[in-house]
Amino acid sequence: MPRVFNFSAGPATLPDVVLEQARDELLDWRGVGASIVELSHRGKEFMGVAAEAEADLRRLLSISDDYVVLFLAGGATTAQALVPLNLASAGQRADYVVTGHWGKTAIKQARPYVDVNIAATSEAGGFRDLPARADWQLSPDAAYVHITANETIHGVEFRDIPDVGDVPLVADFSSSIASEPLDVSKFGVIYAGAQKNLGPVGVTVVILRRNLLERAGQPRADIFDYRSHVKGESMLNTPPTWNWYLAGLVFKWMLAEGGVEEFARRNARKAAALYAAIDGSGGFYRNDVAAPVRSRMNVPFFLHDASLDKAFLAESEAAGLIGLKGHRALGGMRASIYNAMPEAGVRALIGFMDDFRKRHG
Ligand SMILES: *Cc1c(COP(=O)(O)O)cnc(C)c1O
């Protein structure tokens, strides 16, 4: 069976060359005679892998020494709970801007620890647009402001970093990190589960402005404490070594391909082509998100007649295009076109969509 084009939202497609390298090294990692999965996280081999992964991610995103970089277990959802525990005092106010499903999850994880203020939400409009910055009701005493850079399910993305003054901006970048250059200095915390754009599920990157470590936070176990993770170099307990290693291979691949500048160009071309195909389908396909904030990573779309959904999914799969079923919250279809989705994959999808429309239109 040849490799298909996988449009899954996450876990998502990985570059062939990364999987091939992992396969080639699986039983004997660089002459050690054992797999990297079998080696101690404190041994020099894995410590080297970990250090290189951090250095490569720092290079990729131009992360300065003012920031620490953590590789943690627990997914983005755990990261959402660590933010209030570490940055706010118990019951302190925290501002949340809700632009889709994941903004709501972030609030759910924070509510036990902080006084959540929904500074703005686009829920009334079905999350099809971003709330205008001028309408945000920010609290002057907020511990931080939380946004979701790219809403993976609703397909809405911040195209500009909002100015929130001196309050630290915390952003969930799970589904768009490393998709284009990023001014890290505008953020207090950036977190991202790896399984969309950085590699496999099981490891979460946290990029944290060092001076925020001075905040007392609130009573919490050591394992939920950023400072302990910094001190322990993300090895407070046994880290997800395999996932961390694979993410490191993905970082090297991105650097070799030309870095985030190159991925920004590819991603812009892929998204523009796919949205043009949807918009130019005479209403056969439809994307409802306001054009300026359409996600470059996740493209939800609907067929004009939902009774064709089953045929669309079956035929696309037969054509070697998998993972197109939309999230159950929205229905319809969704094409996730992260860094590892080649332009040929998007061309193949567009070709299939045109053909399907001609046969069923
Ligand atoms: C996938 C996703 C999450 C959840 O990640 P887990 O690793 O499953 O906890 C959170 N936020 C965004 C934006 C996501 O895309």
Side-chain angles (χ1 to χ4, degrees):
M1 177 78 189
R3 296 265 295 160
V4 296
F5 290 117
N6 176 7
F7 295 90
S8 168
T13 193
L14 288 171
D16 287 3
V17 289
V18 164
L19 294 175
E20 284 161 2
Q21 184 177 350
R23 177 197 61 200
D24 293 346
E25 297 182 337
L26 186 58
L27 272 76
D28 175 13
W29 187 81
R30 302 183 198 173
V32 170
S35 176
I36 193 73
V37 206
E38 303 169 301
L39 299 175
S40 165
H41 54 295
R42 304 210 185 275
K44 66 174 189 311
E45 295 86 2
F46 188 77
M47 292 291 274
V49 167
E52 266 186 49
E54 179 176 336
D56 287 340
L57 185 63
R58 283 186 179 276
R59 196 169 321 137
L60 200 57
L61 297 178
S62 309
I63 304 171
S64 81
D65 281 343
D66 295 341
Y67 286 77
V68 297
V69 176
L70 299 173
F71 291 84
L72 304 179
T77 310
T78 304
Q80 291 173 338
L82 294 189
V83 166
L85 279 170
N86 285 271
L87 298 193
S89 51
Q92 191 183 350
R93 194 149 247 249
D95 287 341
Y96 281 76
V97 176
V98 185
T99 54
H101 172 89
W102 293 111
K104 291 174 79 170
T105 336
I107 287 177
K108 193 171 164 199
Q109 297 308 318
R111 269 206 207 283
Y113 309 119
V114 282
D115 173 19
V116 169
N117 171 46
I118 298 178
T121 173
S122 45
E123 185 159 20
F127 296 125
R128 295 188 184 97
D129 203 348
L130 294 180
R133 173 66 189 84
D135 299 334
W136 295 14
Q137 304 286 322
L138 296 176
S139 327
D141 54 346
Y144 57 86
V145 180
H146 183 283
I147 63 167
T148 311
N150 179 64
E151 281 285 355
T152 320
I153 294 172
H154 289 89
V156 190
E157 183 179 19
F158 278 92
R159 300 305 301 131
D160 301 298
I161 302 169
D163 180 1
V164 295
D166 292 335
V167 177
L169 182 60
V170 175
D172 179 353
F173 263 94
S174 293
S175 49
S176 58
I177 192 165
S179 64
E180 63 183 341
L182 178 66
D183 185 353
V184 172
S185 72
K186 294 276 199 299
F187 297 89
V189 182
I190 290 169
Y191 64 87
Q195 70 269 30
K196 281 70 183 237
N197 231 356
L198 297 184
V201 66
V203 66
T204 304
V205 166
V206 177
I207 303 164
L208 171 75
R209 198 163 67 220
R210 222 176 266 281
N211 65 3
L212 291 173
L213 294 168
E214 291 157 19
R215 292 202 178 182
Q218 46 195 295
R220 59 202 183 277
D222 196 33
I223 196 72
F224 300 140
D225 194 323
Y226 287 149
R227 281 180 299 224
S228 307
H229 286 296
V230 172
K231 227 171 121 201
E233 299 184 314
S234 304
M235 296 192 190
L236 201 53
N237 64 333
T238 319
T241 52
W242 170 247
N243 319 62
W244 195 339
Y245 152 79
L246 276 176
L249 295 186
V250 173
F251 302 159
K252 286 199 186 299
W253 169 74
M254 287 187 202
L255 288 166
E257 292 288 306
V260 289
E261 291 78 8
E262 173 60 15
F263 282 101
R265 288 188 285 270
R266 292 183 194 176
N267 291 331
R269 286 196 297 264
K270 288 186 292 184
L274 185 49
Y275 284 115
I278 293 167
D279 294 344
S281 68
F284 189 87
Y285 302 109
R286 194 182 85 243
N287 167 281
D288 295 329
V289 177
V293 296
R294 282 172 160 181
S295 169
R296 297 159 308 119
M297 298 282 101
N298 310 97
V299 181
F301 61 94
F302 303 91
L303 277 66
H304 74 103
D305 175 1
S307 73
L308 291 172
D309 285 4
K310 263 179 106 162
F312 184 93
L313 287 169
E315 292 180 26
S316 56
E317 200 168 313
L321 309 166
I322 70 165
L324 286 165
K325 193 176 188 338
H327 189 276
R328 59 188 185 281
L330 280 189
M333 307 297 152
R334 173 174 49 168
S336 296
I337 50 176
Y338 301 120
N339 285 2
M341 172 56 65
E343 296 191 72
V346 174
R347 279 196 299 272
L349 173 59
I350 292 169
F352 169 79
M353 288 168 69
D354 287 345
D355 180 59
F356 186 88
R357 173 171 55 84
K358 283 177 193 132
R359 285 184 290 110
H360 295 274

